[in-house]
Amino acid sequence: MEENLVIVESPAKAKTIERYLGKKYKVIASMGHVRDLPKSQIGIEIEKNFEPKYITIRGKGQIVKDLKSAAKKAKNVYLAADPDREGEAIAWHIAHTLNLDLKKPIRVVFNEITKDAIKDSFKQPRKINIDLVNAQQTRRVLDRLVGYKISPLLWKKVKKGLSAGRVQSIAVKLIIDRENEIEAFEPKEYWSIKINALQGSESFEADFYGINNKRLALDSESDVKKILKKLKSGEKLRVDSVIKKERKRFASVPFTTSSLQQESARKLNMKAKKTMMIAQQLYEGIELGKEGAIGLITYMRTDSTRISETAQNEAYEFIKGTYGEKFVLSEVRKEKKNESAQDAHEAIRPTSANRTPDSLKSILSRDQFRLYKLIWERFIASQMAPAILDTVTASLSKEDITFHATGSTVKFQGFMKVYVESTDDQTDEPANRKLPTLNEGDMVILKDLIPKQHFTQPPPRYTEARLVRTLEELGIGRPSTFVPTLETIQKRGYVNLDNKRFVPTELGSIVIGIMNEFFPDIMNVEFTAQLEKNLDLISVGKEEWIGVVDQFYKGFESELSKAEVELQSVEIKDELAGEKCEFCDHEMVYKLGRYGKFLACSNFPECRNAKPIVKDLGVNCPKCKEGKIVERKSSKKRKTFYGCSTYPGCDFVSWDKPLPRPCPKCSGLLVEKKVKKGIKVSCISCDYVEEQM
């Protein structure tokens, strides 16, 4: 009999942990959940206190068989799924499947996959926390009730394949509300006057402020002309006052799930799904040569900005040794805790401050390196001294007209030596505009007058980053729900991405209109946020899960009954594709299927012509010389590949993306190959290769 069996979710995690635990432990993977609610039915016994009917997930039979076989051979079984509610639920389901004693300490949790963290966690196993399980189960039950009760109604009255959900409906509502704001927005005119002035031979800029040092808005061109009449190039302006201040700028706190997704989108141009996928790889372990597989970051699903004392001390020593003692943060900052934050474990940080990005560059893939670098720099910067900026504000006047000139210089870089947070609307670097030395009473020469007309702008559409931030601020969803929410609303065709910004579709507007009318509670932001708070209370044993579900269902059942009687059928016209069917000459239209949009004949069912939407790469087929290379998806795994548009007449295919430029050596076809360190460009006809990018 083997002494100890450890069950985790993924093979990568299993491999890393087994190396740390040694020969007395066997570590195997469950590949995530082994039980779930059935897909073919609601799976909730509403009349029996909302009892869930769990079944083994289809396709997991062999895994369950292997788990049971391994458990029978082990003296002790430990469940080491991820340290969140989902992980606790996975452990609970596995325990039930294997008939493990829930009264025993069989649960092991750790925030980072490092040797010390793993060994320490196995010294203090605990019982499965049923409160955490109930919190996750409540979310699952609530989402199942909403989805499986409303979706059939939408299929019957609107269109097959639609779905509704608590968080996803709020997300689409936010996008639609923003679009309505944009459409209703009426731009207002305003003007500015900028001047170039000279102090000796040094030029600087100043902006119109007002009259007699009192702010005045310039609403029209006539307002501007009144000011310009009093000013002429070559005249002198008096320096009325010069105010100098020293300002401290503090670093951003370490990453939470939400802030990582936002910053990754802004700085790395990564979608939330890809960010979390790569973060999972960094957490579970990367092979580092002789060191073996090591987890490089702490757990990536967290809403906490807390950092352990050990990590703080290591960062202190690293910063002191690398940059000098003056760059070390002198005292620990007290961060305000978000009311909705679970604060279950630490912020996202590197498992070792000494493991610098540059030391791993040759080992990590391009995207792994970029994300690790972002996480490492953010953490190190958060433990560094504030930057010190010298700011200067000078007030200039000509008679009663006042201009203000501002400047700032970085006196001490502090954390900015390592990292500066970006925003949605501006570049990363702070303003660093220098002013010449100005003293009160100086006279400067007015060189140029630059009036400019402006119009107020509507609020911007939501990017992924903006939407995640808004959902978090409203208390809607939690770290583990953001990515699936973004994926679902796009997959269902409720929104599209246009220039990386969400735009609602007609279908989305219709569905949310129905939800607003018949299910006001679900569409109420405060109501949904309160449900999230109730889940948090369940997770700490302060609320009973059945009571929370029952309270929700009473109101929901009433709204559902009303909708079934009063909701009228809605006809959605298919969007024309702008091309004719090659078989019957009817218009082709866009349809939404399991794998997204496709083209179909509007003469269905008389004509069943349907085909995928192909993207033309603008590259001639190298085989037949007549067709164009287009992007396609494989039928089973939906993997992207490239083929000739004349298929089946020409069977040219490539997994590598062809480029619209010829090989400089033989004029053959160049393709992009994905390799571990990024992308490599090579020719399919000769040995030409470009350096990796």
Side-chain angles (χ1 to χ4, degrees), residues 580-599:
K580 298 280 188 179
C581 174
E582 57 264 41
F583 298 112
C584 70
D585 207 38
H586 279 74
E587 292 287 341
M588 296 294 283
V589 294
Y590 291 112
K591 293 282 188 180
L592 189 66
R594 181 181 177 186
Y595 300 115
K597 279 188 174 182
F598 65 95
L599 288 174

Side-chain angles (χ1 to χ4, degrees), residues 251-266:
S252 302
V253 294
F255 283 128
T256 61
T257 301
S258 167
S259 59
L260 175 63
Q261 290 172 5
Q262 293 170 52
E263 189 73 340
S264 177
R266 289 187 293 247

Side-chain angles (χ1 to χ4, degrees), residues 131-176:
D131 292 329
L132 292 177
V133 174
N134 284 339
Q136 190 274 344
Q137 182 168 255
T138 306
R139 182 186 293 281
R140 196 77 182 93
V141 169
L142 288 172
D143 290 344
R144 179 55 69 106
L145 289 172
V146 171
Y148 275 58
K149 289 290 186 179
I150 298 180
S151 296
L153 186 65
L154 295 175
W155 300 349
K156 183 180 177 182
K157 300 290 186 178
V158 185
K159 187 178 181 180
K160 281 276 188 181
L162 300 182
S163 72
R166 294 182 312 109
V167 177
Q168 76 178 55
S169 296
I170 290 288
V172 179
K173 181 181 185 296
L174 290 172
I175 292 166
I176 291 172

